[in-house]
Amino acid sequence: MPELGISVVSTHRGQGVGRVLLERIKRASADRGLRGLSLSVEDENERARALYVRNGFVVAGRAGNSDTMVLRF
């Protein structure tokens, strides 16, 4: 399962850029036949975590101060 890494420049946060990026990545991944995606999110990154949860990611593990989250198609 590929690990996803995305970031939004601080001046563009809160404008829906992350949501659009994530939606397009999910669609492209599913179209290519991937069975899912994974990512890591640090405890203090509450906005990103909320975005991932809204998009179907669930916690699958923990390492240090981060959760590993997965989304299965």
Side-chain angles (χ1 to χ4, degrees), residues 8-46:
V8 176
V9 176
S10 61
T11 56
H12 290 86
R13 291 182 186 147
Q15 300 175 28
V17 174
R19 177 184 51 79
V20 171
L21 280 171
L22 190 54
E23 288 172 358
R24 290 183 182 182
I25 290 167
K26 286 170 47 179
R27 188 177 318 121
S29 299
D31 289 349
R32 286 171 175 74
L34 297 179
R35 296 186 347 202
L37 294 167
S38 68
L39 55 82
S40 294
V41 60
E42 294 182 353
D43 293 340
E44 63 272 4
N45 198 346
E46 295 176 13

Side-chain angles (χ1 to χ4, degrees), residues 1 5-8 11 14 17 22-23 32 36-37 47-48 51 59 62 64 72:
M1 183 176 295
I6 61 173
S7 180
V8 176
T11 56
V17 174
L22 190 54
E23 288 172 358
R32 286 171 175 74
L37 294 167
R47 290 176 72 182
L51 172 66
V59 174
R62 182 142 182 93
R72 299 186 192 282

